[in-house]
Amino acid sequence: MAPTAAEQVFDKDYKYGFHDKEEYVFKAKRGLSKEIVEEISKIKNEPEWMLKFRLKSLEEFYKRPMPKWGADLDTIDFDNIFYYLKPTDRQGDTWEDVPEYIKNTFDKLGIPEAERKFLGGVGAQYESEVVYHKIRDDLAKQGVVFLDMDGGLREYPEIVKKYFGTVIPYNDNKLAALNSAVWSGGSFVYIPAGVKVDLPLQAYFRINAQNMGQFERTLIIAEPGSSVHYVEGCFEKGAPIITVAGTKKIEEIKEGDAVLTHTGRYRKVYKLQKRKHSGTMCTISYVGDSRQRIRITGGHPVFAVKKQKAEYKNTAWNPNWIEAAQLGEGDYVAIPINRTIISQDERFFAIKIGRGRHPSKEIQFKIVTDKDFFRLVGYYMAEGSVMGENYLTFTFNKNEREYIDDVAQLLEMHFGKAPLEYKEYKNGISLVLCSTVAARLFKQEFGKGAKNKSLPRWFMLEGLEKQSEFIKGYWRGDGSFIDKKYGWGNKRMFRINTISELLAENARDILLRLDIFASINV
């Protein structure tokens, strides 16, 4: 029976926000179960080992809790999803072989236009199955394999068995287990040793049916000395990446590093790729850090919010993945915020106090890391310094008596010793605590000298009440408030000055954790 004409409903705000009338040759029952998984594997005529892998993954899915490192996913009803829908009973070897209603859909998405322009290979998946796959003849003659994942399993079962699920294991998390249990479609790419594939390979995935879950799986094997560009997107050298150890340039990232993702959690880097790029490059500069300009490939997805009408501010703030080339001036790029909280009421520090014959002698020093201590650290970042190895000093304006008294009380509270207050000198009053432990603790944990001050990782992961006290102390010492009238309106701004780039980044990240947007300006 010939398919009926496509019924199209368009989303006015999104170019690709249309869907077509459902057409399929098979649709599994709604919901997730062992029977559904066995049915998917049977329809695909898979080897026994793949069925066992799927069932093992399903068991892992049931055991695992829902991830807490991203958006709230607790409202997902896994029993209300269709996990397999087969739109056609054959895959097209040419574009003309694809059913008309599917072909019309992908024509709107740029296929086969993109293939004609520059792609070395292209695949198109509609619902659960790949409906079209094609690779250039000259690449095929070099031994390059570009198939749908089911085709790869049929024709290269030993290679698939060796590598399947080795980058993201089935037991990595609940959703990885789900994908491993019900996967269907995706791409299989194999590049022989020494073969360079300069033209990109690209796959397109389209979900049309309501409540249908698409769980494609992609496996790319590049033998030694080979190279391939499977279109996903890349950053140019120099792009800043936030890691557990601080901000690094992307070329300094190593496998195993933990990087901060859009979910607000750190995730491990499994693989690295370096390649040449001949297509569109975009430069993203943004309000928030005048030091940074990110160079990125045009097809790279960016977590962002499109700006609404120019005459008013956005009322919708739900970020989506948008290709870099589709961003425009005034759009909003999302900033990753580390929401992890690891709080301790007291900590032990190993402090080196030895000298002379015993330069490496250490003591274990316990300190209460409450919100008062965090405020003291804020004062130190603004007005504190370490003199030699034995003196911790703070200097305030003579009119800041409230802060002078606060610091004196905090020092005695945490180190059991009152500081000396020196007489006014050039409108300044200094507090000096003679304490080797205090001086070396602050030098060790928070840096010595204005340019070298920064906050340790444990401090950055502490509770928000404590961190807000740090900001209070820091702003009291180095903060200012601007409220000026200009021809175009008022400028109201809270500002903290520092010559330490690391400290500026630390303060910004803490403010973001407190849901306060802060920018860095040089």
Side-chain angles (χ1 to χ4, degrees):
M1 179 178 176
T4 60
E7 176 189 17
Q8 299 176 351
V9 179
F10 290 89
D11 182 335
K12 295 179 181 179
D13 297 322
Y14 180 48
K15 178 180 178 182
Y16 304 119
F18 61 87
H19 66 83
D20 304 317
K21 183 178 178 180
E22 284 188 29
E23 302 280 350
Y24 53 84
V25 296
F26 176 80
K27 188 174 185 178
K29 293 180 180 179
R30 190 191 303 264
L32 181 62
S33 65
K34 179 182 177 183
E35 290 69 30
I36 292 294
V37 172
E38 290 174 335
E39 186 174 38
I40 293 173
S41 188
K42 182 178 179 180
I43 289 172
K44 294 175 176 293
N45 195 27
E46 293 176 342
E48 183 68 19
W49 70 263
M50 180 55 79
L51 174 58
K52 290 181 179 179
F53 176 82
R54 287 181 182 273
L55 294 176
K56 179 172 61 174
S57 301
L58 182 64
E59 291 177 5
E60 188 71 18
F61 169 79
Y62 286 133
K63 290 191 300 184
R64 286 276 186 153
M66 189 66 80
K68 298 299 182 185
W69 33 257
D72 183 7
L73 305 178
D74 291 334
T75 58
I76 295 178
D77 184 358
F78 289 102
D79 291 325
N80 193 35
I81 296 173
F82 294 99
Y83 289 90
Y84 183 73
L85 193 156
K86 190 172 184 177
T88 179
D89 56 3
R90 60 191 174 92
Q91 184 183 128
D93 294 322
T94 68
W95 194 243
E96 285 68 32
D97 294 335
V98 177
E100 195 66 27
Y101 74 100
I102 298 178
K103 189 162 60 176
N104 288 340
T105 296
F106 280 110
D107 272 334
K108 298 185 187 77
L109 300 177
I111 302 175
E113 178 187 357
E115 177 187 1
R116 291 195 302 265
K117 282 184 176 179
F118 67 97
L119 295 176
V122 65
Q125 177 163 337
Y126 194 86
E127 312 294 24
S128 299
E129 293 290 0
V130 173
V131 294
Y132 173 69
H133 237 278
K134 180 69 174 178
I135 190 168
R136 285 169 47 130
D137 292 339
D138 56 338
L139 295 178
K141 289 177 181 178
Q142 297 179 67
V144 176
V145 178
F146 184 42
L147 297 170
D148 63 292
M149 194 62 231
D150 297 284
L153 180 59
R154 284 193 304 272
E155 298 184 30
Y156 301 93
E158 293 307 313
I159 294 178
V160 174
K161 188 175 183 179
K162 180 179 179 181
Y163 292 106
F164 196 83
T166 55
V167 176
I168 306 295
Y170 76 95
N171 58 358
D172 184 82
N173 61 75
K174 187 178 185 72
L175 300 182
L178 177 63
N179 181 280
S180 298
V182 298
W183 75 268
S184 184
S187 296
F188 174 84
V189 181
Y190 178 83
I191 313 296
V195 174
K196 309 288 185 182
V197 180
D198 296 324
L199 292 171
L201 310 178
Q202 182 157 348
Y204 294 80
F205 302 92
R206 178 72 176 178
I207 296 177
N208 180 67
Q210 188 175 16
N211 285 357
M212 185 267 161
Q214 191 176 78
F215 300 91
E216 70 275 358
R217 198 71 177 233
T218 294
L219 180 59
I220 302 173
I221 300 117
E223 296 286 3
S226 67
S227 65
V228 62
H229 173 192
Y230 182 82
V231 175
E232 287 177 334
C234 289
F235 288 104
E236 192 176 72
K237 181 179 179 181
I241 305 296
I242 300 174
T243 75
V244 166
T247 301
K248 293 184 179 180
K249 295 179 180 178
I250 194 168
E251 62 268 24
E252 297 171 351
I253 298 294
K254 303 286 192 302
E255 289 184 10
D257 284 351
V259 302
L260 185 63
T261 71
H262 71 287
T263 66
R265 295 290 183 268
Y266 288 96
R267 304 296 290 170
K268 190 176 182 180
V269 174
Y270 287 96
K271 295 293 180 182
L272 295 168
Q273 181 189 45
K274 182 180 179 181
R275 63 179 177 80
K276 294 180 179 179
H277 178 70
S278 58
T280 301
M281 290 295 297
C282 300
T283 300
I284 298 178
S285 57
Y286 51 94
V287 175
D289 194 338
S290 63
R291 304 167 301 166
Q292 304 292 356
R293 281 177 173 76
I294 297 175
R295 292 272 293 165
I296 188 173
T297 53
H300 195 297
V302 178
F303 208 44
V305 176
K306 294 295 290 182
K307 181 176 174 60
Q308 293 176 338
K309 293 181 180 180
E311 61 267 25
Y312 61 85
K313 295 181 179 180
N314 273 41
T315 55
W317 292 101
N318 297 318
N320 293 296
W321 293 105
I322 302 171
E323 290 188 358
Q326 303 302 316
L327 292 174
E329 185 176 349
D331 290 340
Y332 301 89
V333 177
I335 298 176
I337 301 174
N338 183 5
R339 300 290 189 182
T340 305
I341 293 179
I342 303 175
S343 187
Q344 290 183 217
D345 293 332
E346 56 184 34
R347 290 179 180 270
F348 285 87
F349 298 93
I351 309 296
K352 291 184 178 181
I353 61 168
R355 63 180 181 178
R357 296 181 183 180
H358 307 286
S360 60
K361 182 181 177 182
E362 288 186 348
I363 65 166
Q364 291 290 319
F365 182 74
K366 182 180 77 172
I367 196 163
V368 176
T369 50
D370 55 9
K371 64 180 184 179
D372 291 325
F373 178 76
F374 271 64
R375 190 167 71 258
L376 178 61
V377 174
Y379 284 128
Y380 174 76
M381 290 305 183
E383 307 290 10
S385 62
V386 174
M387 302 291 289
E389 296 289 329
N390 307 300
Y391 301 96
L392 183 60
T393 72
F394 295 80
T395 301
F396 291 89
N397 183 277
K398 65 179 182 179
N399 297 318
E400 297 177 317
R401 172 50 59 183
E402 177 188 351
Y403 307 153
I404 296 169
D405 293 342
D406 194 21
V407 170
Q409 292 174 5
L410 293 172
L411 288 172
E412 186 169 6
M413 181 191 308
H414 288 90
F415 296 99
K417 188 177 182 180
L420 296 175
E421 181 177 322
Y422 282 76
K423 291 182 179 181
E424 177 187 333
Y425 178 70
K426 293 185 178 180
N427 294 322
I429 294 178
S430 294
L431 295 175
V432 179
L433 180 68
C434 180
S435 168
T436 301
V437 168
R440 297 188 184 184
L441 170 64
F442 271 77
K443 177 183 175 181
Q444 173 182 299
E445 296 297 313
F446 308 111
K448 178 181 180 180
K451 189 174 182 179
N452 299 315
K453 288 180 178 177
S454 64
L455 300 174
R457 183 168 184 265
W458 65 264
F459 197 98
M460 298 298 298
L461 299 181
E462 266 285 1
L464 303 186
E465 186 179 7
K466 296 180 184 180
Q467 291 182 337
S468 66
E469 285 295 304
F470 161 77
I471 294 296
K472 181 189 293 184
Y474 189 20
W475 190 79
R476 283 176 171 178
D478 269 348
S480 59
F481 175 62
I482 298 173
D483 189 2
K484 292 185 178 180
K485 291 185 178 181
Y486 294 88
W488 42 265
N490 289 0
K491 182 176 184 179
R492 304 179 73 248
M493 177 172 63
F494 292 88
R495 182 173 62 184
I496 299 176
N497 294 322
T498 178
I499 63 171
S500 168
E501 287 196 49
L502 281 177
L503 183 54
E505 292 171 0
N506 293 152
R508 174 203 59 197
D509 292 346
I510 285 179
L511 286 166
L512 288 173
R513 285 165 65 88
L514 297 170
D515 292 322
I516 300 170
F517 176 76
S519 62
I520 295 177
N521 296 295
V522 178

